[in-house]
Amino acid sequence: MKQTTNPKAIALASLLTLTAGVAAGCGGGGAAAPGTGSAAQPSASAEAAKPAAPYKLSIMMPSFNPEPMSTDGEIFKKIQSATNTELKLNWVPSATYSDKLSATVASGELPSVITVLNQKVPFIVNSVRSGMFWEVGPYLKDYPNLSRMNPIALNAISIDGKVYGIYRERDLARDGVTLRKDWLDNLGLKEPKTIDEFYKVLKAFTNDDPDKNGKNDTIGLVEQQVPAGWRSMLAWHGGPADWEVKDGKVTPAHLSPAYLETMKFYKKLYDEKLMNLDFAVVKDGRQVMNKGTAGAWVANLNDANGIEEQAKKADPKAKVTLVGALEGPKGLRSIAGTGSYGIFMIPKTSVKTEAELKAILNYFDKLSDKEMQNMLYNGIEGRQYTVENGQYKKTADPKMLVEYGMGDSSQLAVLRDQVTTFGPELVHQRDIVWKENAKIAIENPVNAFISDTYSEKGKELEKLIEDARTKFIMGAIDENGWKKAVDQWLQNGGSKVIEEYTAEYNKAAKK
C-alpha cells in the first residue's frame, strides 16, 4: 500500500482506523478480543497497539455472471485485508436486480451498502427525501482517494443538490465512430474529420465495393431501433446533450433547430441507402458490424475491439480504427455521460452512527488505492493474467476466473483513474480518444435535477419523440408531421417537465 509522510494524512489514517474499531463495537462489527483474566489485563499502551477488529460490511450488488465471485480466492482475501473488513457480498442476478432492490428498500431491512444503478427512480428519490440514506458529500474531502472524485460526476448523481452515494467511475465521453480501417485503405480514403467527409466515406463504403469481393453487399452506417449514434450525431450538428438552457429556460433537444437538421441527415443516409433500411427493427447494430457487412458504427468506443475480433472471423483482413468526434457547425463536440455507472448508497437503517459511516467510507477509499484499482479490473498477475512480451494474457483456468468473478470484481471498484490498461492497440487507442473527447464534451444541464412529471411520464414521452423521429427518417411523416408530434409531446406532459426542470435549474443557479 502507498505510504504517506503528510502529518495530516497520518493523523487522518489513525482516526479512520479508530473509527472502524468503534463502529465494529457499536454496529455490526467484529467481536471484541477475548480477555485473559484480571491478572493478565494488557497495559493501555498494549491495547492501543492492537489493530482494530475488521468491520463487518455487507453489500448488495447485481451479478452479470452465473457463478459469483469466490470468497475463498486471493482477490477477495486481499480486499478484506487492505480495507480491514469482514465483507459479505449479496449478489443478485442482474435480470431481477431492479425488482429485488425496490422490494429491499421498501422492507427497510437493508445491508450496510446497496448498489443503485439509477438513483433518480422515484422509490430511491422518495427514500432519500424521507431521510433513509446518509448524505456523504461533506465527508469526501477528508479521504485521500475519494477527494479526487470528479465534480461533474458528483453533480450528476446528486439529489436535491446533495450527494448520497459513492459513484462507480466511468470515462466521461465514451462515444465515437468505429470504422473499418481496411475498407478506408482499400478505397484510398482517410479517416473523416468532418460531417461532410463522413458522408462521403459512408457513400464509398456502400457503393464502391470496399471489401473488394466484387459484390454489392456492403453498407456505410449501421443503426438500430433507438439509434446508438443519435446523441453524438446531434452534438456534431450543433445540438445539445438532451437538454439545454436558453435565457434561463430549460428546453429539450428536440425543440432545437439542430435536431431537425440531424434528422434530415439521417433521412439523407436512409434515402440514399447508405445505412441499413431495417434499422427500425434491429435490436443490436453491433451484430451487423460483427458480420463484416457494415463500415461504421457510432456508439461507445468500448465496442471496437470486440467488433474487430468478430469481423476477422468473416474476413481475416478486417481492421478497425476509431474517430472521436466529427467537426460540424459549432466545431468539435462530444457528448458527456454522467461519468459513472451506478452508485453505492449507505442506509441509515443499518448504518446508524457517523462512526460506522466513516468506517464504510474508509473501505471505499482504501479500495481506490492504485494497487486495489488494478486488482479489481485486471486481476492478480500470475493468477488471473500474465504479461508476455508486453501483452496481457487472461487465464483460461476456470478456478482463477471464478476468483475474479468473471469480471464482476470490477463492480466493486469506485475510482479507476490509476488503472493500467492492457490489451491490443485498439484498447489503447480507445483510451486516448476518450481523453480527447472529455476535453470537448458537452453536458446535460439537468442531470442533477428531478422532474416529478418526467419520473412519471418520461418513458411515454420519449417513445413519442423516438417514434416520430423514426417515421421522419423513413419518410412516413414530413416536417408538419414532426411538428404535430412535438406539440403532442408538449400537451402530454412535456410542458410540465420543462417547467419543473427550469424551476430546479433556476433554484440551483441562485445558490
Side-chain angles (χ1 to χ4, degrees), residues 133-184:
F133 294 99
W134 284 93
E135 180 192 355
V136 301
Y139 297 92
L140 300 180
K141 67 182 185 304
D142 299 327
Y143 297 86
N145 291 318
L146 299 184
S147 63
R148 298 201 313 274
M149 288 189 140
N150 189 325
I152 294 175
L154 289 174
N155 181 61
I157 68 168
S158 66
I159 296 174
D160 298 334
K162 297 179 180 179
V163 175
Y164 291 91
I166 303 295
Y167 67 71
R168 303 191 300 182
E169 186 176 34
R170 295 294 184 272
D171 287 271
L172 186 64
R174 295 153 65 87
D175 288 5
V177 190
T178 297
L179 280 169
R180 283 290 296 265
K181 176 79 164 56
D182 56 317
W183 288 11
L184 289 173

Side-chain angles (χ1 to χ4, degrees), residues 211-474:
D211 56 0
K212 300 301 179 184
N213 68 352
K215 300 177 183 179
N216 184 19
D217 58 356
T218 59
I219 56 171
L221 175 71
V222 62
E223 267 296 2
Q224 57 189 27
Q225 287 176 346
V226 178
W230 177 261
R231 297 174 76 243
S232 290
M233 293 273 202
L234 177 59
W236 301 338
H237 280 85
D242 302 323
W243 292 80
E244 62 184 332
V245 180
K246 289 184 176 180
D247 301 322
K249 185 177 182 179
V250 178
T251 57
H254 58 261
L255 293 185
S256 70
Y259 201 96
L260 181 60
E261 291 306 309
T262 309
M263 287 199 302
K264 288 179 179 178
F265 180 75
Y266 264 99
K267 188 176 188 313
K268 182 179 181 180
L269 299 182
Y270 184 87
D271 290 345
E272 297 181 17
K273 300 180 181 179
L274 306 186
M275 62 182 285
N276 53 318
L277 301 187
D278 63 348
F279 78 95
V281 295
V282 172
K283 292 184 178 179
D284 187 352
R286 289 172 296 187
Q287 300 308 315
V288 184
M289 287 291 292
N290 290 346
K291 293 176 183 177
T293 56
W297 169 246
V298 182
N300 191 336
L301 296 176
N302 207 34
D303 299 334
N305 190 57
I307 286 173
E308 183 176 87
E309 289 179 352
Q310 292 299 315
K312 282 183 179 295
K313 294 178 181 180
D315 180 359
K317 296 180 181 178
K319 187 173 178 58
V320 161
T321 190
L322 307 178
V323 175
L326 299 174
E327 188 171 356
K330 292 186 179 180
L332 286 172
R333 291 149 56 91
S334 66
I335 284 287
T338 60
S340 66
Y341 177 62
I343 65 175
F344 296 111
M345 298 183 72
I346 306 170
K348 290 183 178 179
T349 51
S350 50
V351 179
K352 299 183 183 298
T353 68
E354 186 180 48
E356 290 181 277
L357 170 65
K358 289 182 177 180
I360 294 173
L361 293 177
N362 186 51
Y363 158 82
F364 285 120
D365 190 68
K366 294 296 183 186
L367 212 59
S368 298
D369 283 345
K370 182 177 181 179
E371 176 188 350
M372 301 303 291
Q373 286 188 32
N374 280 282
M375 182 184 74
L376 293 174
Y377 279 100
N378 296 321
I380 299 173
E381 187 171 3
R383 295 181 72 82
Q384 280 71 46
Y385 73 95
T386 55
V387 177
E388 300 175 9
N389 298 321
Q391 295 296 314
Y392 173 89
K393 185 176 181 180
K394 193 172 184 177
T395 182
D397 184 341
K399 183 179 178 181
M400 292 297 102
L401 290 175
V402 170
E403 182 175 295
Y404 181 51
M406 308 294 287
D408 262 348
S409 62
S410 65
Q411 288 202 72
L412 289 166
V414 176
L415 297 183
R416 54 179 296 171
D417 58 333
Q418 296 177 333
V419 172
T420 299
T421 299
F422 291 105
E425 177 187 346
L426 266 180
V427 174
H428 295 285
Q429 187 182 355
R430 174 205 67 190
D431 286 355
I432 292 170
V433 174
W434 277 351
K435 286 183 173 61
E436 292 302 310
N437 274 357
K439 298 174 184 177
I440 54 173
I442 56 173
E443 302 170 44
N444 182 343
V446 306
N447 269 340
F449 306 131
I450 295 167
S451 159
D452 291 336
T453 302
Y454 186 83
S455 296
E456 178 187 351
K457 298 183 176 182
K459 289 184 178 179
E460 168 194 328
L461 291 170
E462 284 178 5
K463 189 174 188 309
L464 195 160
I465 292 298
E466 289 167 2
D467 287 349
R469 182 178 67 202
T470 298
K471 289 177 181 177
F472 184 92
I473 293 170
M474 297 177 72

